[in-house]
Amino acid sequence: MAYGFDTLQIHAGAAPDPATGARQTPIYQTTAYVFRDADHAAALFNLQEVGYIYSRLTNPTVAVLAERIATLEGGQGAVCCSSGHAAQIMALFPLMAPGRNVVASSRLYGGTITQFSQTIKRFGWSAKFVDFDDLEAVKAAIDDDTRAVFCESIANPGGYITDLDAISAISDAAGIPLIVDNTSATPYLCNPIEHGATLVVHSTTKYLTGNGTVTGGCVVDSGKFDWSASDKFPSLSEPEPAYHGLKFHETFGALAYTFHGIAIGLRDLGMTMNPQAAHYTLMGIETLSLRMERHVQNAEQIAGWLEGHEAVDYVTYAGLKSSPYNARVANICPKGAGGLFTIALKGGYESCLKFVDSLEIFSHVANLGDTRSLVIHSASTTHRQLTPEQQEAAGAGPSVVRISIGIEDAKDLIADLDQALAKASA
Ligand SMILES: *Cc1c(COP(=O)(O)O)cnc(C)c1O
């Protein structure tokens, strides 16, 4: 029987603890696991038997979270990591090699633009940024060295929704996996795999945990990509020297990418999620659908109110009829466009600083997707390292404030915004 989302967000991956009957998933706060005997140890290290060796690789609490997220996303398997940015490196790692590139949307989380435009160059990888509304440009950017196409479902922070069906048709035709960052939408609002994504990455720091307590990330594999269809992904299709010549795809089939992520990615890069973090995120996920419904309800009401405010130049919320991306909501995220958007203030840079300093319920922080309402002036903070052109392309120009609507009373949030806007435009 196929359970619904509300049931799966509470039960998927978990069962009463076999040793104690504990109903809630215990925090397995252990580094290592005792082998039954030397043969058992050898079988585990040969990947002939699945089990626990060492918590850099796997841990029972973290495994419950990985299975929960994989299930909610409709994937075959998942690997949890120490942060969303770790998940992005982990997602690319099996695919890339020096000289290879990723074709990425120019509308991405600011930190991702920095990671892709600067830091990955140290590995000999590169990114080509293109406007993902220009399908011809996406096609043209894919070359013989391209090993992944990367975008966000609902892009942070610009209120931009990607036409995932059109993009996955292009990546499919090129024989290249599509990686979708589904952080802002969550699997409750959007299922990238249904729209052709090969891999889904998350910053679990945000809505999945939902309470601003821990950083974390996750890579989900759809299990649908044929890694052996070309010679482009030798680490998955050919004998892997880092694992005594094991052929991951031949051996593990639809779980090849997930096993590679654990046996090589976590083993050698060590970007592991700890069991405490997994616990907090499991607590958060139990109420994901309830929170997302309220985030959407509040965001729709508040974005509409802001749009009519005299101090506000524009509001980029895809849930508004005025948004050029409103037409994509019904197909990509039919339960709503999320709780994240930007506003531009007519008063410009200085007015934005006054606005964020005057808010009382909203906190000025570098986070989003919390139960609490949050704001940030991106141009002076998260997007500071970007060029003015990159800031504009990412929807984070000098007069723009990013707003993450929480699940408080909408009337209180509106009153807070109202008094801060009055001060900002005085
Ligand atoms: C926050 C965020 C990230 C990075 O995640 P961390 O957990 O902060 O490393 C990546 N993508 C998006 C869309 C994000 O919002």
Side-chain angles (χ1 to χ4, degrees), residues 2-307:
Y3 290 124
F5 193 97
D6 292 348
T7 305
L8 293 172
Q9 73 185 355
I10 295 170
H11 293 286
D17 182 50
T20 62
R23 188 64 195 86
Q24 188 50 278
T25 299
I27 304 168
Y28 285 92
Q29 197 66 61
T30 184
T31 306
Y33 309 83
V34 178
F35 306 123
R36 286 196 304 271
D37 52 34
D39 286 344
H40 177 224
L44 290 175
F45 277 91
N46 276 338
L47 297 181
Q48 284 157 342
E49 195 177 317
V50 177
Y52 297 101
I53 297 175
Y54 186 63
S55 284
R56 172 158 31 83
L57 309 173
T58 47
N59 169 281
T61 313
V62 179
V64 171
L65 177 62
E67 193 174 332
R68 177 112 13 121
I69 299 174
T71 304
L72 295 178
E73 286 288 2
Q76 285 287 322
V79 179
C80 288
C81 319
S82 50
S83 71
H85 270 2
Q88 292 170 190
I89 295 296
M90 285 279 294
L92 290 173
F93 183 67
L95 315 175
M96 302 286 274
R100 308 305 185 204
N101 68 67
V102 48
V103 169
S105 167
S106 52
R107 294 187 193 82
L108 292 177
Y109 176 69
T112 307
I113 293 181
T114 308
Q115 187 186 53
F116 283 10
S117 62
Q118 303 301 330
T119 302
I120 65 171
K121 283 198 237 162
R122 308 279 190 95
F123 307 143
W125 310 348
S126 62
K128 297 189 193 180
F129 292 99
V130 274
D131 177 355
F132 271 39
D133 277 339
D134 184 346
L135 299 178
E136 289 310 314
V138 177
K139 263 184 224 165
I142 296 175
D143 62 27
D144 285 347
D145 286 321
T146 302
R147 292 295 178 270
V149 173
F150 189 101
C151 62
E152 291 178 36
S153 48
I154 302 179
N156 171 1
Y160 168 88
I161 295 179
T162 308
D163 183 352
L164 296 176
D165 303 287
I167 298 296
S168 66
I170 294 172
S171 58
D172 273 357
I176 300 296
L178 171 63
I179 307 175
V180 176
D181 180 341
N182 201 30
T183 298
S184 304
T186 81
Y188 182 66
L189 298 180
C190 176
N191 279 108
I193 290 173
E194 281 177 12
H195 296 281
T198 311
L199 304 168
V200 178
V201 293
H202 276 283
S203 166
T204 60
T205 312
K206 314 291 171 50
Y207 291 105
L208 294 186
T209 303
N211 47 43
T213 47
V214 286
T215 65
C218 189
V219 187
V220 181
D221 178 24
S222 64
K224 290 181 178 164
F225 196 86
D226 182 358
W227 305 110
S228 306
S230 74
D231 59 4
K232 291 188 167 171
F233 305 100
S235 190
L236 291 154
S237 63
E238 299 297 313
E240 171 51 75
Y243 216 96
H244 52 66
L246 185 71
K247 287 179 147 186
F248 278 84
H249 193 205
E250 191 180 287
T251 310
F252 300 113
L255 281 169
Y257 187 91
T258 302
F259 271 82
H260 191 287
I262 296 166
I264 298 187
L266 290 182
R267 187 196 65 181
D268 296 347
L269 300 176
M271 301 166 165
T272 308
M273 179 183 280
N274 68 72
Q276 282 284 346
H279 168 73
Y280 284 115
T281 305
L282 282 166
M283 295 300 93
I285 285 190
E286 293 190 349
T287 58
L288 180 64
S289 64
L290 306 178
R291 287 185 287 108
M292 293 316 292
E293 270 169 19
R294 178 63 68 84
H295 281 296
V296 167
Q297 226 175 48
N298 279 357
E300 285 176 351
Q301 191 182 339
I302 294 166
W305 177 81
L306 281 165
E307 197 172 38

Side-chain angles (χ1 to χ4, degrees), residues 302-368:
I302 294 166
W305 177 81
L306 281 165
E307 197 172 38
H309 197 286
E310 59 187 10
V312 175
D313 190 7
Y314 60 82
V315 181
T316 63
Y317 183 53
L320 291 171
K321 290 274 171 285
S322 58
S323 164
Y325 299 104
N326 190 251
R328 288 185 185 161
V329 173
N331 179 33
I332 303 291
C333 47
K335 296 195 203 79
L340 191 66
F341 56 84
T342 60
I343 61 173
L345 297 192
K346 288 180 185 157
Y349 193 91
E350 291 305 323
S351 176
C352 289
L353 297 187
K354 187 91 183 103
F355 172 64
V356 297
D357 282 343
S358 305
L359 287 162
E360 284 163 16
I361 300 175
F362 286 79
S363 305
H364 188 204
V365 297
N367 191 20
L368 59 97

Side-chain angles (χ1 to χ4, degrees), residues 368-381:
L368 59 97
D370 196 329
T371 49
R372 321 167 163 68
S373 291
L374 312 171
V375 291
I376 194 160
H377 182 234
S378 304
S380 61
T381 57

